[in-house]
Amino acid sequence: VALSAKKSLEFFIAERKSALTFIIHERSFEELADPEMLDRSFASLKKSFGAFVDLGLIDSSGDQRSYVGPYELAGTNYQEDDWFHEVRLRGIYVSDVFLGHRKFPHFVIAVMRERGQGDFYVLRATVDTEALAQHIRALNLRPSSDAFVINGEGILQTSSRFHGDLLTRSSLDVPVYSKEPRVVEGYDDEHGLVVGYAYIEQSPFIFMVAKQPKDLMRNWFALRIELIWILAISAGVI
């Protein structure tokens, strides 16, 4: 389960980063600063990939030069925002889930392009966290199991059935970093748990899945009972 979720979420994020990188290198600053051109680019993103909420062009001063989306963010300055400093350092950045100016949970994917002489600009897209939740729901886990996403501080990036609400601290500890998915025995306040987790590369996200041991063994117990019945009936017939 952890391996499947890791591959799915990494592909989801990488796909959208690649799309934004293509646009920012395909279009000049002047073209992206044109609201009509930016609107066409945003329409193509939504049609091809989905989950994008808005798209904005930010100059090196942190000023939003053009914007497409449902909010009144034109002219907003992001110079003091953490994500803006991160994208300046890394060139491409995926944020934690946060509320921000929009006051609804989302995360940001931002890519930077240099213009020379220390000048640059950033293409910034907002992604709805519902997209992360949809990937988790697609796992079709038992009602007694729980799957969710946290960040490196243990803050829930999606809602959890038993371990906290969105943007609150998870009741499970942040697991030790591992490049590959791992399964460990963990404990909450009431039940022993088997916890699988996977760090989502090139993002701040960690996928967690927690199950009770009896749930993991349920299919094996059912198979054992079936075999016992088959053996008993066969012996009776013989």
Side-chain angles (χ1 to χ4, degrees), residues 143-201:
S144 58
S145 302
D146 198 3
F148 49 91
V149 176
I150 63 173
N151 65 10
E153 286 72 47
I155 304 301
L156 283 155
Q157 309 292 279
T158 63
S159 295
S160 165
R161 287 175 179 167
F162 308 117
H163 302 287
D165 297 323
L166 178 66
L167 296 179
T168 63
R169 186 171 297 278
S170 168
S171 61
L172 297 181
D173 294 334
V174 177
V176 177
Y177 173 78
S178 173
K179 188 174 182 180
E180 299 297 329
R182 292 185 61 187
V183 177
V184 296
E185 289 188 40
Y187 298 90
D188 61 10
D189 295 336
E190 298 179 2
H191 307 288
L193 294 175
V194 176
V195 177
Y197 70 90
Y199 275 72
I200 309 304
E201 296 298 323

Side-chain angles (χ1 to χ4, degrees), residues 12 33 44 51 53 70 89 118 139 207 220 225 230 237:
F12 172 82
S44 297
V53 176
L89 292 173
L139 298 172
F207 172 78
W220 294 105
I225 292 172
I230 292 172
V237 170

Side-chain angles (χ1 to χ4, degrees), residues 114-126:
E114 295 183 353
R115 303 180 71 187
Q117 299 180 344
D119 195 15
F120 65 92
Y121 57 97
V122 175
L123 191 62
R124 176 185 189 269
T126 296

Side-chain angles (χ1 to χ4, degrees), residues 17-97:
K17 288 196 297 186
S18 297
L20 291 175
T21 300
F22 174 79
I23 290 174
I24 200 171
H25 287 283
E26 181 73 12
R27 306 291 185 186
S28 67
F29 178 84
E30 290 73 21
E31 288 176 316
L32 292 173
D34 179 0
E36 292 186 4
M37 178 64 72
L38 190 69
D39 186 64
R40 287 199 294 270
S41 297
F42 180 58
S44 297
L45 282 175
K46 290 192 68 175
K47 182 178 179 180
S48 301
F49 301 101
F52 285 107
V53 176
D54 59 18
L55 184 67
L57 177 70
I58 296 97
D59 63 22
S60 56
S61 300
D63 292 324
Q64 188 145 252
R65 299 292 295 273
S66 60
Y67 171 79
V68 178
Y71 304 98
E72 296 294 332
L73 298 179
T76 302
N77 186 277
Y78 295 101
Q79 191 170 30
E80 301 302 321
D81 288 20
D82 292 339
W83 73 265
F84 186 72
H85 295 290
E86 291 289 341
V87 75
R88 287 184 63 181
L89 292 173
R90 303 182 187 183
I92 188 166
Y93 176 66
V94 180
S95 76
D96 300 290
V97 174

